[in-house]
Amino acid sequence: MQTDTPKVDCAPAWTEAGTHAMSPLATHDEIARFNFLANLNKYMANVVVGGNKVAYDSRAKQAFRNTHGHEPQGRREIRAAMSVDPYYQMWSALRRNAMEMRQQAGRSMVLRQAEPLRDRARSLNAGAKNLQLHPNTPVPRYQSAIDNHCMPGSYYAEYLADDVSAAANYDAGMFATTTGLFGRYLDGAGRGIVEWLARRRPGWQPARILDLGCGVGHNTVPIAKAFPQSRVVAVDLAAPMLRYGHARARGMDIENIEFRQANVESLADADSAYDLIVSTMFFHETSSRALRNVLQEAARLLAPGGLHLHLEQTPYHAMEPFEQFLRDWDCYYNNEPFWTTVHDTQMLDVMRQCGFAADALFEDEIHAVVDLQMPKVGAEVEDFGRGGMWYAFGAERAA
Amino acid sequence: MDHLELIKLANAAAQGKRPYFFSQPDVDRLLSILLAVTQELAVTRERLDTVERVLERRELFERQEIDSFRPDADAARERGQWHIEYLARVLRVLQQEVETMQRSAGDVSSEDVARELAAG
Ligand SMILES: C[S@@+](CC[C@H](N)C(=O)[O-])C[C@H]1O[C@@H](n2cnc3c(N)ncnc32)[C@H](O)[C@@H]1O
């Protein structure tokens, strides 16, 4: 064996992920399954995905021209051309399987310890005023029609009373899916927001902060930490996510986040109740109507002098059709049914229609701030739509 | 919940029609199975690596020994035999095909025999 062979770019081991009070116990082989999946994702992103463009340029484009008399125009025709190409079929099938296997790996680890995890959450959540559950909150059609990103039972399944297994699975698998690009605590977006705010408004202390669709609070936590004097309200529809998120935050000694179960299309707070309103990777899981409802509600809730900041994946407008086509994969094959529409939407136009016309609107790009020392060798490669970089949009209200 | 029920729950299908990418869905199925087997092979490989590292940490052997290991004649023969047995097991279907081709009369189908037996 040669010892000076150059190192290959690999995913960080699952054991590099940060642990907290709600971390499930993992056996050797459960960890190894995640390690396999993370590296499968890495290999797919670094090596396999590139072949799609080669297949397109070298044969799929021509095959399409032969039957249609012209080259594919736009991402829909590119998709028609590629969906019959064997390379794209193989890439798609591998990617879909990687998603399904990630769910299986997480669930088989978490479900066997659903009870002890639930008990741990119960004791961390006991008597907490900062956990506000409203079990009768209806789950809207855009969340219930199909299971988000192939997650069986989505965020909502409860197999026992006070179940947190859906959230534990979501949390445990994400490090493998994102190959560490979101950081050890999957908080790269939240840290990115904190850094961005420090540049945009140095020294600003927003007293009241709202996080829309907080999940388990991966990105709420760094914001709450950065503003320890502030009161943070983190809202989500899913009780398992909130139970787990609250227990996780508590285990980190964070006491300034209220986790609240509600639909953010309509909140009970008074007008101008918040100084900073954020969301991370939230809007792509809604619908055209819900997007507008939420923005209208957010406009109502923002105080004078306040700021809005929302992070999503890069929109399609300024993007080559072939890249649009690749990014659109998740919409069709990874149960992200609003993905295409949200990326085609001109967010600032919608904001103007939703009550922000008088405010200073902005767009920007925010990169994940990651605490992980990645075994980085080659250039960082993004797995289309899964990388540590976001499109940011928002508004500043005059004081 | 017993182990089988638990693994079935872990295996649950997500709501939403599953896409099939190849012109024959059988290929999608086989790929899913192959990828799961590939994963389990990686898991076993990682486990073996762990065993080696633990033994080395306990100074029971050096990992270097594995790469420089040369079996003596008996061990080499045992291992060779294991490889042959293993391949015979894996490639069983080819052997059976040849056997059938060699049967001079050819094989009858159970269905034909069933009809024959029913008739008398
Ligand atoms: C992809 S997760 C993102 C979680 C979190 N923002 C993060 O960055 O980790 C989207 C979350 O939005 C929640 N959600 C979807 N629609 C919602 C709504 N109308 N009101 C409140 N939460 C919602 C889901 O339950 C889910 O937890």
Side-chain angles (χ1 to χ4, degrees), chain A residues 28 97 100 104 107 147, chain B residues 9 11 15 18 32 47 50:
Chain A
H28 180 281
N97 275 289
E100 292 177 356
Q104 204 277 348
R107 287 167 65 83
D147 288 339
Chain B
L9 191 61
N11 283 349
Q15 262 199 107
R18 189 188 194 281
S32 294
R47 197 171 181 97
T50 302

Side-chain angles (χ1 to χ4, degrees), chain A residues 28-29 32-33 35-36 89-90 92-93 96-97 100-101 104 107-108 112 144-147 150 152 333 335, chain B residues 6-7 9-12 14-16 18-19 21-22 28 31-32 35-36 38-40 42-43 46-47 50:
Chain A
H28 180 281
D29 292 1
R33 278 187 198 104
N35 288 342
F36 169 78
Q89 291 174 340
M90 182 57 89
S92 293
R96 169 78 188 199
N97 275 289
E100 292 177 356
M101 288 164 78
Q104 204 277 348
R107 287 167 65 83
S108 59
R112 70 173 170 80
S144 67
I146 58 178
D147 288 339
C150 303
Y333 307 128
N335 287 9
Chain B
L6 203 60
I7 195 74
L9 191 61
N11 283 349
Q15 262 199 107
R18 189 188 194 281
F21 298 97
F22 298 101
D28 289 85
L31 184 76
S32 294
L35 214 55
T38 307
Q39 179 182 35
E40 292 310 308
V43 168
E46 193 163 304
R47 197 171 181 97
T50 302

Side-chain angles (χ1 to χ4, degrees), chain A residues 15-296:
Chain A
T15 41
E16 296 279 322
T19 55
H20 50 76
M22 286 307 299
S23 299
L25 302 177
T27 65
H28 180 281
D29 292 1
E30 286 165 349
I31 294 168
R33 278 187 198 104
F34 279 133
N35 288 342
F36 169 78
L37 290 170
N39 283 300
L40 175 62
N41 287 331
K42 191 86 183 169
Y43 187 78
M44 295 275 291
N46 280 0
V47 181
V48 185
V49 70
N52 283 310
K53 189 70 170 59
V54 179
Y56 181 64
D57 289 336
S58 68
R59 63 188 187 199
K61 204 192 284 184
Q62 186 59 43
F64 185 93
R65 197 211 303 258
N66 292 345
T67 43
H68 295 79
H70 64 89
E71 270 192 19
Q73 302 291 312
R75 66 164 188 267
R76 285 177 187 84
E77 288 194 354
I78 295 178
R79 179 162 173 247
M82 289 295 280
S83 60
V84 290
D85 187 274
Y87 190 90
Y88 177 72
Q89 291 174 340
M90 182 57 89
W91 174 71
S92 293
L94 288 169
R95 207 167 190 235
R96 169 78 188 199
N97 275 289
M99 293 307 298
E100 292 177 356
M101 288 164 78
R102 169 260 170 272
Q103 293 303 330
Q104 204 277 348
R107 287 167 65 83
S108 59
M109 175 173 83
V110 156
L111 291 173
R112 70 173 170 80
Q113 50 188 317
E115 273 185 54
L117 282 171
R118 184 270 311 270
D119 295 343
R120 236 192 282 164
R122 265 185 183 165
S123 69
L124 282 158
N125 292 340
K129 276 199 230 46
N130 273 343
L131 179 61
Q132 294 293 331
L133 297 180
H134 303 286
N136 296 324
T137 312
V139 179
R141 170 83 183 151
Y142 54 84
Q143 281 287 302
S144 67
I146 58 178
D147 288 339
N148 288 295
H149 29 81
C150 303
M151 198 160 65
S154 193
Y155 306 108
Y156 307 96
E158 299 197 26
Y159 299 112
L160 47 140
D162 295 345
D163 196 6
V164 294
S165 61
N169 168 45
Y170 173 88
D171 186 25
M174 194 183 268
F175 191 77
T177 321
T178 56
T179 61
L181 292 174
F182 289 9
R184 296 181 63 222
Y185 284 95
L186 303 159
D187 59 357
R191 286 168 180 260
I193 287 178
V194 169
E195 218 186 69
W196 184 91
L197 282 172
R199 264 182 285 125
R200 182 89 175 196
R201 291 192 173 187
W204 186 48
Q205 298 280 334
R208 299 155 304 168
I209 302 173
L210 175 64
D211 183 11
L212 308 169
C214 63
V216 298
H218 283 146
N219 294 303
T220 327
V221 164
I223 297 172
K225 267 190 182 166
F227 302 110
Q229 306 306 320
S230 307
R231 165 132 198 88
V232 184
V233 175
V235 183
D236 204 277
L237 278 167
M241 303 292 272
L242 295 161
R243 286 185 199 113
Y244 183 93
H246 180 268
R248 177 181 181 269
R250 212 164 204 197
M252 296 170 170
D253 293 323
I254 289 158
E255 301 286 350
N256 59 333
I257 309 176
E258 173 191 322
F259 286 87
R260 186 195 296 173
Q261 187 176 15
N263 185 330
V264 296
E265 289 180 66
S266 164
L267 292 168
D269 304 275
D271 294 358
S272 307
Y274 297 99
D275 305 293
L276 171 65
I277 301 183
V278 299
S279 76
T280 50
M281 292 149 273
F282 161 68
F283 284 114
H284 71 266
E285 287 194 3
T286 63
S287 70
S288 290
R289 191 179 315 133
L291 164 68
R292 284 162 178 81
N293 290 345
V294 175
L295 286 174
Q296 270 161 20

